[in-house]
Amino acid sequence: MDRNDIALNRFGLGARPGERIGDPAGWLREQMSRYRPALNGSAALTSRGGVVRAIAQLQRAVLEGREKPGDKAAAQRGDDALKAFQGKVRSIYQEQVGLRARAAIASETPFIERLVHFWSNHFAVSQEKMGPNGLAGLFEMEAIRPHVLGRFEDMLVAVEQHPAMLMYLDQIYSTGPNSKTGAAAARQGGARGLNENLAREILELHTLGAGSGYNQGDVTEFARVLTGWNVAGLGRGAPTQLALKAGVPQGDFLFIDDWHEPGARTVLGKSYAQPGVAQGRAVLADLARHPATARHVATKLARHFGGDDPPPALVARLEKAYRTSGGDLRVVHGALIEAPEVWASAPLKFRTPWEWVIASYRAVKLPIDLSEHPGKAGAGFSNLLIQLGQPVWKPGSPAGYDDVAASWAGPDALIRRVEAASQLSGKTSPATDTRALAREIFGARLSQTTADVIAAAGDPRQGTALLLVAPEMMRR
Amino acid sequence: MFDRRSLLKGGGLALAGVAFPRIAYTAAPTQRRLVFLIQRGAADGLSILAPTGDPDFARIRGGWGRDLEGGAKLDMFTLHPLLKRIAAMHGAKQARFVHAAASAYRERSHFEGQNILETGGRAPYAEKTGWMNRLAGALPRSESKAIAIAPAVPAALRGSVPVASFAPSVLPDATADMAARVSALYAPDRQLSGLWDSALATQKLAGQIDGNGSAAAIGALAAKMMVPADGARIMMIESIGWDTHSGQSNRMKTQMNALDALVGALADGLGPAWQKTLVIVATEFGRTVAVNGTGGTDHGTAGLMMLLGGAAHGTGKVEADWPGLSQAALYEGRDLKPTIATEAVIAGAIARHYDMEPARVAKALYPAQPGLKVGAA
């Protein structure tokens, strides 16, 4: 791969026909100035408040059904509400997928767009639970996009205060045992307690990384710190009552002081005496600055750009950039552009299904028209990614999708890509000159075999399908 | 089989001692049919008709010995057991096998090699017309209607005589065709070819990619187009999937089944016309004698040709001036050495089939090789 290929495919999201960049590194750098977080067409999406309102309505209907065991009508209303909700959420999800795909395919700042996907996967929320349903796309838009060239700490806070994350990791149920509400519940024989999920995943996945020096005690203490972190307008109790009283819009972050475990907490050997929500923010600030976080973030970025086995020199380079800049992602991402390891000429990564689909659409200039019905194109994309084994925003765990070839390069996966390529090529023009297209897309790395097989194709569409599954297309 | 006192002169081998008198016409000319079945991808002749009697064979290819169990023994060779119809044809004197054959091409690029095989040119892409089109031009009109079963007219059939191509949409599974092309695409890529071969091998897939079904359908289609009084008399069929850089043992099984099914369906479809049909099966070059690190072979030089059909005039013996498989005997230390020219075999077979002067045929089909020596065979 030459520097052109590398900039377009390893840093970017895939070459487009006729795309020429004179100064690959310069092109990448100036994308950082041109990047705008706003997502085209997002105004048409159901808002965060709208989704949370739908979730809250469903919760009420389902709860009513449960609370009146003999009342068949109530139970039926609960079932109907669930079906309606699932249908609504499916549409919302597909619209969000459609916008994400369109943005990726059309992006003129593909390096930054790639970073959005990276960070969204790092702070993964998974859609299959009822909780964050319908929110994952908004989460990426609201918590990731605005901060991808900002400070890691700001992204971290935005992520951990977003309803998608709070619901996904069950934070909304977490109550301090000695908090006002917790203590009252205990006196009445009820069970209101801590939920450690969010605290654990922040330490293990989002910041320090597994095995980097925190222990179970730190997890529990941190969970106590986070009690009270909640979502306005959920359920029938405090999150809704308090939000109404305080005028916090449904779906926004809400701190419920009555649920917060009182007192100073000790996390990773440091004491935090701040009151209320400030306590959690202080811990997050320190986690963002922690050397283990620098190393963890550097390793994941190095794996994403430098190869499944992240080159140690690259990890060190990125770690240094993180630490010396205080976690300024603009600086860290800039260090990627300057890193010789990322400019290695051999292909370093096997494209994930998402990457392959986006690169394919960019290569053969398949249009996505979202003007009429955003959900329809989105449904197509989401089904395609399901077929290929990487449903958007549904990794199944907060660790997100794996970033190594072993997860994606398998016999069945190849079959599915060949099938998908045949489907996609059916939408291309029968007059495509696939030999010329192969030269344009693959540039210096087009192999003789690939050129020959494409040239020998039965017809141009078959040629396009072969181009899309060529080895040059599978790797970056 | 001929012994080593061979007459290797300037690339052409006259099949000494095999001279036939001009045959009086016993059949009306319009009954003669010709099929050229090109194996694209460099078919491994040493697997199709294995020189099991060669003292070095076991050492080199012994690992794949099991694949030959039950295969027909022909002189010092064993025919791949899955070529059942072809074995039967051989028994009925409707097959000739010519081994250690190669065209004038000595490099190892598929597309260049195929171009030389199809155009008979002096260099790849030097000649714009194909030998089949030039043949059609030399035959009476009643015998020269030519069709290729392909999406576009292949090089062998390009030229001044108008020919047709027919890409059947009635065939099952474009998938089988696509799968074979993907195999070709991944052939040089170790990771992808390993995964792809594994995918194709799974049971689940076997039902979806039925190479036999579509191969038989192609054979039947070709026959159907040639049977009518005003039907085609010259046909070209393309066969793919031969570039077995990896997983050759399994892939050859698929290839053998498909080839046998195609030829069998062709014979069945032609019925009595099979008696007057000549099928030429050839590939651009053979493959390396040694097995590589991924259970396959790489591009080689000499390989196997087959002539099938009632008009093949089989003798029951394999035709080969066998060069041997010892290290010293190999071409460039890696390939089977060619001892007969593909062009000579084709020209000789064509001359006999159409009752034409061998020298005239050689000149018409291979003008770039004035030194080509052809006996009427």
Side-chain angles (χ1 to χ4, degrees), chain B residues 346-367:
Chain B
I346 291 176
I350 295 281
R352 180 175 181 181
H353 189 50
Y354 291 104
D355 212 16
M356 294 159 76
E357 287 249 22
R360 182 178 154 229
V361 171
K363 197 167 162 194
L365 265 46
Y366 300 106

Side-chain angles (χ1 to χ4, degrees), chain B residues 222-267:
Chain B
K224 198 166 161 187
M225 289 198 277
M226 283 192 286
V227 158
D230 62 346
R233 288 295 176 264
I234 297 176
M235 295 225 46
M236 181 168 173
I237 300 174
E238 302 180 310
S239 152
I240 51 180
W242 296 98
D243 194 23
T244 50
H245 285 281
S246 66
Q248 179 166 321
S249 177
N250 276 338
R251 289 173 63 185
M252 278 309 258
K253 290 179 183 142
T254 308
Q255 296 297 108
M256 294 294 92
N257 279 328
L259 178 64
D260 204 55
L262 194 159
V263 169
L266 183 64

Side-chain angles (χ1 to χ4, degrees), chain A residues 88 100 152 155 172 188 224 229 334 373 383 427 437:
Chain A
K88 186 182 171 95
R100 186 198 218 224
F152 178 83
M155 187 187 286
I172 53 175
Q188 287 152 24
R224 293 185 182 114
W229 286 43
H373 193 251
N383 288 336
K427 300 185 198 174
L437 185 61

